[in-house]
């Protein structure tokens, strides 16, 4: 995500000239066969005994994006105790697949190919949070040819094609 890279730059641990957005992603609401028929804007109708899992916003970018999205929709505070925090998107999807929660808010690329998981809605409107994969080359990395070569590769057209094959878009502006 951009924020941790910005902190590296602010601390002098990465040169802003060596920071680049590599790929974009999107948040999606996913469910399983037993999930309620809701979309992102109707999550306020989630029943009192139903749960939505998101990444923990104190620790993972997916959680911060989810909080920002739910805040934009006026739902973060409203959902309160119905939110379950996961350590990462993989765990959030595992909770959903095991039926421990009713819905999950995850990255679109992580939902691809998940057996028993269906995308119910996409945060695809203009003001929705736009997750980016961001790379930075540190001063130490600049001094190592292999690190510089890898940084050059992940910015290449070949890498962009690989990102696209796995469901990523071009980086968001």
């Amino acid at each position: 995500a951009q924020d941790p890279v910005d902190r590296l730059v602010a601390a002098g641990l990465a040169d802003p000239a060596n920071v680049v957005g590599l790929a974009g992603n999107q948040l999606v609401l996913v469910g399983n066969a037993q999930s309620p028929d809701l979309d992102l804007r109707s999550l306020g109708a989630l029943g009192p005994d139903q749960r939505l899992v998101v990444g923990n916003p104190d620790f993972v970018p997916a959680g911060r994006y989810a909080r920002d999205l739910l805040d934009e929709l006026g739902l973060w505070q409203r959902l309160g105790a119905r939110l379950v925090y996961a350590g990462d998107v993989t765990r959030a999807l595992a909770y959903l697949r095991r039926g421990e929660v009713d819905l999950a808010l995850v990255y679109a690329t992580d939902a691809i190919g998940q057996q028993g998981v269906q995308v119910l809605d996409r945060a695809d409107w203009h003001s929705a949070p736009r997750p980016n994969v961001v790379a930075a080359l540190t001063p130490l990395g600049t001094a190592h040819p292999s690190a510089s070569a890898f940084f050059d590769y992940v910015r290449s057209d070949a890498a962009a094609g690989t990102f696209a094959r796995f469901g990523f878009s071009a980086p968001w502006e």
Side-chain angles (χ1 to χ4, degrees), residues 94-136:
Y95 294 166
L96 178 68
R97 283 192 315 274
R98 290 191 304 255
E100 296 171 7
V101 297
D102 302 282
L103 299 164
L105 192 51
V106 299
Y107 294 126
T109 54
D110 286 285
I112 294 170
Q114 292 288 325
Q115 193 157 9
V117 173
Q118 60 183 348
V119 174
L120 304 173
D121 198 6
R122 296 178 173 278
D124 58 2
W125 57 91
H126 180 70
S127 63
R130 296 174 179 256
N132 266 332
V133 177
V134 181

Side-chain angles (χ1 to χ4, degrees), residues 20-22 135 137 145-166:
V20 63
L22 300 176
L137 188 61
S146 58
S148 293
F150 179 73
F151 189 71
D152 290 342
Y153 170 74
V154 296
R155 297 183 299 166
S156 72
D157 289 341
T162 300
F163 282 123
R165 280 195 311 279
F166 286 94

Side-chain angles (χ1 to χ4, degrees), residues 15-38:
D15 179 353
N18 289 321
V19 174
V20 63
L22 300 176
N25 210 334
Q26 186 179 76
L27 289 176
V28 293
L29 179 67
V30 294
N32 58 32
Q34 293 77 41
S35 292
D37 186 22
L38 298 173

Side-chain angles (χ1 to χ4, degrees), residues 79-103:
L79 289 173
R82 289 173 280 181
L83 293 173
V84 173
Y85 298 136
D88 56 41
V89 172
T90 301
R91 288 183 210 163
L93 287 165
Y95 294 166
L96 178 68
R97 283 192 315 274
R98 290 191 304 255
E100 296 171 7
V101 297
D102 302 282
L103 299 164

Side-chain angles (χ1 to χ4, degrees), residues 42-53:
S42 65
L43 278 173
L46 197 63
D49 295 330
Q50 295 174 319
R51 301 289 176 257
L52 169 67
V53 64

